[in-house]
Amino acid sequence: MDTSKNPIGLFDSGIGGTSIWKEVHRLLPNEDTIYLADSKNAPYGLRPKQEIIDLSFKNTKFLLERGCKIIVVACNTATTNAIKELRANFNVPFIGIEPAIKPAAIHTKTNAVGILATKGTLSSELFNQTVSGFTGVNVIEQVGHGLVELIEGGKLESTEMQILLEEYLNPMIEANIDYLVLGCSHYPYLAPQMRKILPESVTIIDSGKPVAKQTKKVLQSMDLLNTDLHEVYNTFYTNADAHVLQSIIGTKFTAEHIDF
Ligand code: DGL
């Protein structure tokens, strides 16, 4: 069966994965997409591995019931804890997102790299395997306690956010990092605030663009790119307050509440 005209499905524990969706949409504007924000269950980062797997299965089934031809796991926590199980249980290609430690570790000149991610990502086997490949580099790991909750609560530019960011980034600045890896798909929305705290010499990197490129590559290799000229549909679902998702995707698109 030709599924090339079917949508790309993306899910995250909440609204953060829209940072990945934006890159996918930019690179593949002719593709329909369905984005699923499981905000009711955010944050995933504090949950045990099995719960993250169960929620990832539930999200995947939701997207497959709507015909998605490929699933982008737009969440580092879900990828690092559940991608193996997802690939073993569903007959559809999965694209995962992992913290961009590799480019940071390769390009650092100060030999110090900061990573901000959830507890679930930093404690995962997959992440620790990746980091163990760069023993010569000082990797400063910091759990972004509270950041996802503030973003999901629509408090991106709050004083609370500023205080937390300073607390997490100042020790990294003292350790002389020249790369900050954003290991959670929510965090690119914090880049403007981070930029004000970090010295200019620090480069902030996230995984949005590489994930979009990989999605295109996989679709191409499986002959699944949508080459039909058609009206493109980008659908956004959330099981929490649609206003927060709406504020982040802008007025060109519509966020819909759905119970799941
Ligand atoms: N956005 C998710 C990530 O990339 C997780 C946030 C959370 O639910 O803890 O890790």
Side-chain angles (χ1 to χ4, degrees):
M1 199 178 71
D2 177 17
T3 57
S4 62
K5 294 179 187 61
N6 293 17
I8 297 175
L10 304 95
F11 77 82
D12 178 35
S13 62
I15 63 176
T18 53
S19 65
I20 310 297
W21 172 83
K22 282 178 183 165
E23 299 297 346
V24 170
H25 181 59
R26 207 191 316 268
L27 192 65
L28 298 164
N30 196 46
E31 297 289 337
D32 292 336
T33 61
I34 302 180
Y35 181 88
L36 181 61
D38 187 19
S39 293
K40 192 175 80 183
N41 293 305
Y44 280 11
L46 295 174
R47 293 178 182 275
K49 183 177 166 78
Q50 191 54 50
E51 269 183 41
I52 299 170
I53 294 173
D54 293 345
L55 290 167
S56 300
F57 273 40
K58 185 188 67 140
N59 297 336
T60 298
K61 283 180 191 155
F62 179 100
L63 294 169
L64 292 181
E65 277 161 17
R66 283 154 185 85
C68 292
K69 60 184 172 184
I70 188 168
I71 308 289
V72 178
V73 183
C75 174
N76 293 261
T77 313
T79 300
T80 51
N81 285 278
I83 196 100
K84 213 168 92 191
E85 289 77 5
L86 287 168
R87 288 190 170 128
N89 284 278
F90 295 95
N91 189 21
V92 66
F94 284 91
I95 306 294
I97 165 168
E98 283 182 64
I101 280 288
K102 193 175 167 186
I106 290 172
H107 293 113
T108 177
K109 295 210 164 49
T110 60
N111 227 27
V113 164
I115 160 124
L116 195 58
T118 69
K119 183 166 170 263
T121 294
L122 294 179
S123 60
S124 69
E125 206 184 310
L126 197 58
F127 174 77
N128 283 289
Q129 255 169 23
T130 309
V131 172
S132 66
F134 301 101
T135 41
V137 178
N138 181 16
V139 179
I140 297 130
E141 298 177 17
Q142 173 65 54
V143 173
H145 296 289
L147 301 181
V148 167
E149 289 89 330
L150 286 175
I151 297 170
E152 290 290 325
K155 294 183 179 166
L156 259 177
E157 280 159 35
S158 58
T159 313
E160 294 115 288
M161 183 67 87
Q162 181 71 19
I163 292 169
L164 286 182
L165 289 179
E166 283 175 12
E167 182 187 327
Y168 301 155
L169 299 182
N170 282 338
M172 296 186 186
I173 297 169
E174 276 158 36
N176 200 24
I177 62 160
D178 57 357
Y179 278 88
L180 171 64
V181 179
L182 304 184
C184 169
S185 57
H186 281 69
Y187 299 167
Y189 289 114
L190 300 175
Q193 283 109 298
M194 291 178 177
R195 214 41 293 167
K196 287 183 201 150
I197 301 169
L198 294 167
E200 262 176 49
S201 56
V202 177
T203 304
I204 301 176
I205 52 172
D206 65 65
S207 315
K209 284 195 171 66
V211 167
K213 269 195 201 158
Q214 181 65 8
T215 306
K216 184 174 179 183
K217 196 170 139 193
V218 170
L219 287 176
Q220 239 160 3
S221 72
M222 297 179 80
D223 219 7
L224 282 176
L225 281 177
N226 191 345
T227 49
D228 216 29
L229 275 183
H230 66 295
E231 191 181 344
V232 176
Y233 290 100
N234 295 287
T235 309
F236 294 86
Y237 292 120
T238 173
N239 53 11
D241 184 357
H243 291 100
V244 182
L245 178 58
Q246 187 65 60
S247 68
I248 217 139
I249 59 177
T251 49
K252 254 182 83 186
F253 305 101
T254 308
E256 289 173 50
H257 176 89
I258 192 165
D259 285 316
F260 71 95

